[in-house]
Amino acid sequence: MDETIDERTAIVTGSSRGIGKHVAKRFAADGANVVVCSRSLEDCEAVAAEIESDGGSAHAVEVDVSEKPSVENLIEEAVDRFGRLDVMVNNAGINIRGPAEDITPEEWQQVLDVNLTGVFFCAQAAGERMIEQGDGGSIVNISSMMGSMGQQDRTPYNTTKGGVNNLTRCLAVEWAEHDIQVNALAPGYIETEMVEQAQEDADFDREDVQNRTPLGRFGTLEEIANCVSFLASNDNFVTGEVLTADGGWSAFGWGCKDD
Ligand code: NDP
């Protein structure tokens, strides 16, 4: 058991499936009280039940991260249930793809509302609670390696993830005096439903991705949970950092690894 996580309360947004679900299960396995949340209460209850049947402690809450009152209710429910809040993982995210010239104002706004404003609302509400508690905390924002690069048909998504990176730095600087460490994790291609969905796109080729990645494979959910767990611990002197976990994808300047 990880001593740094034991007894803490962690909220993981977008934990009804994918990366968030795995991270929530990891925190619970390490001994934390976990709040599982997304827009689908039923799916979150199923994840919470899985955690409890494995001997962990979990509570499911419905939240839409793009709605401030809904986020405030999430924090309130977490504190009502577990007494305090120590770790906030802002993982909920969406992607709407298309040529930049075809993206509608509604699509642009939708991606911004969830991926950037949602992360801000959640960090803000969590930070407020942690400041009130007076003994620090940690916030981990799930960004993407795409937050620091351009890409075809991904303008809204990549733009919001770039915003998340700098939001992370701003909050880290501002809340350092309260011992709140704020970091971001920028994953590369990880095996999730989001990637399965992307495979339906004509321009997404699994083999291309693997060839373009120095480690030669997709990342695993386990590896991402390891990174989040490290960033969420308060004994590492790391704050305002964007940790890239992409198998070397963004370090690699040009071409395929077999070139
Ligand atoms: P999934 O699509 O599998 O899961 C997204 C989660 O976010 C779901 O639980 C969804 O639940 C929730 N969600 C979406 N919109 C909202 C909202 N408005 N309010 C609350 N919850 C919401 O995605 P992944 O697990 O693949 O990705 C998770 C995060 O990791 C995202 O931020 C993504 O950008 C990032 N990422 C993923 C990579 C990958 O390879 N998969 C690579 C790099 C970054 P529900 O629909 O029930 O609300």
Side-chain angles (χ1 to χ4, degrees), residues 94-113:
I94 59 167
N95 190 1
I96 297 177
R97 302 176 189 83
E101 66 273 24
D102 294 343
I103 295 289
T104 65
E106 292 73 23
E107 288 171 330
W108 174 258
Q109 198 57 50
Q110 206 184 331
V111 180
L112 242 75
D113 283 350

Side-chain angles (χ1 to χ4, degrees), residues 85-133:
L85 175 63
D86 304 283
V87 178
M88 183 80 200
V89 181
N90 296 317
N91 164 79
I94 59 167
N95 190 1
I96 297 177
R97 302 176 189 83
E101 66 273 24
D102 294 343
I103 295 289
T104 65
E106 292 73 23
E107 288 171 330
W108 174 258
Q109 198 57 50
Q110 206 184 331
V111 180
L112 242 75
D113 283 350
V114 178
N115 292 10
L116 186 54
T117 308
V119 172
F120 176 64
F121 285 163
C122 289
Q124 187 185 40
E128 194 184 348
R129 174 68 203 177
M130 289 169 185
I131 290 168
E132 204 180 299
Q133 288 174 178

